[in-house]
Amino acid sequence: MKLSFLLVSLYFWASAQSHDIYVHMMPWFETKESNGGTWGIHWTMANRNPDNIIDGKQDIASFYHPEIGAYASGDPTVIDWQMGYMKTAGIKGIFLDWPGTTQAMDYPKNKENCEAIIAGTERAGLQFAVVYEDNNLNLAGVPDKIAQGTADMEYLQNNYFSKSNYVKVNGVPLLLDFGPQALFDANWDSIFTPLNPKPTFLTLWNQHQQGGSMVAGEYAWVYSNFLDGLNNWYNYQDVPLKVGVAYPGFNSFYEQGGWPGPGFTIPYGTDTFHQTFDLALQHTDIIQICTWNDYGEGTVVEPTLEYGTQFLDIIQQASGTKYTRADFEENTEIFLLRKQHANNATMLAHLEERYRKLIHKHD
Ligand SMILES: *[C@@H]1O[C@H](CO)[C@@H](O)[C@H](O)[C@H]1NC(C)=O
């Protein structure tokens, strides 16, 4: 009895060690300071104002509130705080929601934030890969989607794929698409024409047939069919490469926030996270946590006022990293001191060194 318990524990410990855990990250949050005097739309949706405090919390378009308050995605101090948590949880890197190079809506700003975040992954010794939002070609009303898609791929090749911390699978850059929703089938072959080498390309689950001739597989996502959907996909979907998913729930703010969007609910908390994470550990080598910070959809594992580091505690244990909870506390302390002493260059240099030590403690 005891021996079998030990063996099962060892199995899960050993299997978690051999997994690559990434988090899906949104680059689209803006504060008044970062956004010319008005809060970004992902904190407000149609009807919220973070300047209003309700029950001691900012009135943002989410049921969950960041531990550090509503932030700007491009703020390097915020980015170091986020990357510091990822590193100390044993997360390998980020899958970054990338808007493309279309000049419309808030996409240029989001892309700029992506590049600040990529610089943050380099400081923290984390990896990154891009999740391309091909649906933006629809939302922005791009007239020639193939031309814009091709320009986006050339941009990725010239600016991101060559970085030493870009995720490679089968020896070539990993590229995920959040769809397809705008480009289908042979469109992908067209836009990949300038790429050398061709990426390891994944679509959303159950959509690889729309990914053209170079599609390598699929990644799972959160959906209303919850564990049934995940079990079906893990057990029966036949594609060469699968990236599994772990999520804490789905509790979207769209209805309250006056935005269109899916209205289903999956209970948010550590039970859901354990269930989805365990399934992913059993079935796939690469796992994407969905999500780091999609506050609007309520899928956040980033530390919040409501849940603290509960999800990161689970990840830290499963990843087998040598970091401990005390390192989480050190990370937030460094962030708070950086904000407090933002005008003291001597102090900032000292804090930067403290961050560097934390990040490289177990290299
Ligand atoms: C800045 O920080 C240094 C180091 O902690 C401290 O000695 C100094 O007094 C601070 N300067 C100001 C103006 O607060």
Side-chain angles (χ1 to χ4, degrees), residues 147-332:
Q148 182 60 50
T150 305
D152 289 345
M153 293 305 117
E154 281 175 328
Y155 188 89
L156 288 179
Q157 172 159 271
N158 294 335
N159 297 281
Y160 298 176
F161 290 168
S162 54
K163 289 187 182 286
S164 62
N165 69 329
Y166 194 94
V167 179
K168 308 230 172 21
V169 173
N170 302 328
V172 293
L174 176 68
L175 176 67
L176 296 79
D177 178 65
F178 199 76
Q181 302 189 62
L183 298 167
F184 297 99
D185 311 315
N187 293 164
W188 292 101
D189 298 331
S190 301
I191 74 165
F192 290 159
T193 303
L195 298 187
N196 181 22
K198 307 298 180 196
T200 294
F201 179 56
L202 306 182
T203 67
L204 268 172
W205 55 347
N206 307 312
Q207 286 193 246
H208 75 276
Q209 295 93 337
Q210 300 171 319
S213 69
M214 284 166 237
V215 72
E218 299 182 348
Y219 65 97
W221 198 248
V222 56
Y223 192 56
S224 57
N225 55 12
F226 191 26
L227 298 179
D228 286 345
L230 290 173
N231 275 310
N232 263 320
W233 185 77
Y234 286 129
N235 291 320
Y236 302 115
Q237 182 66 330
D238 189 17
V239 288
L241 179 62
K242 288 181 183 175
V243 170
V245 72
Y247 53 81
F250 189 92
N251 190 14
S252 88
F253 203 80
Y254 292 127
E255 197 186 329
Q256 288 81 355
W259 268 16
F264 69 86
T265 301
I266 295 172
Y268 180 96
T270 52
D271 285 352
T272 296
F273 192 63
H274 271 300
Q275 287 172 303
T276 55
F277 197 20
D278 287 350
L279 268 184
L281 287 169
Q282 285 165 40
H283 288 100
T284 54
D285 297 329
I286 307 174
I287 298 169
Q288 175 173 215
I289 291 170
C290 157
T291 61
W292 181 257
N293 60 345
D294 195 333
Y295 283 89
E297 294 200 336
T299 56
V300 180
V301 299
E302 177 173 81
T304 57
L305 297 179
E306 290 80 7
Y307 282 80
T309 59
Q310 288 183 41
F311 304 111
L312 296 187
D313 292 338
I314 295 168
I315 298 166
Q316 193 182 56
Q317 289 202 343
S319 72
T321 178
K322 290 183 187 135
Y323 285 105
T324 66
R325 289 206 80 200
D327 297 304
F328 289 158
E329 285 155 25
E330 165 76 354
N331 184 55
T332 285

Side-chain angles (χ1 to χ4, degrees), residues 27-49:
W28 58 32
F29 297 102
E30 303 292 349
T31 60
K32 291 202 286 191
E33 291 70 28
S34 72
N35 196 47
T38 53
W39 288 96
I41 54 172
H42 287 278
W43 291 132
T44 64
M45 288 194 182
N47 56 21
R48 300 288 135 172
N49 179 2

Side-chain angles (χ1 to χ4, degrees), residues 80 83-84 124 334 351-359:
D80 280 352
M83 302 292 136
I334 293 169
L351 291 167
E352 202 175 301
E353 179 57 18
R354 226 172 116 177
Y355 179 73
R356 213 190 55 76
K357 277 202 177 120
L358 174 66
I359 288 309

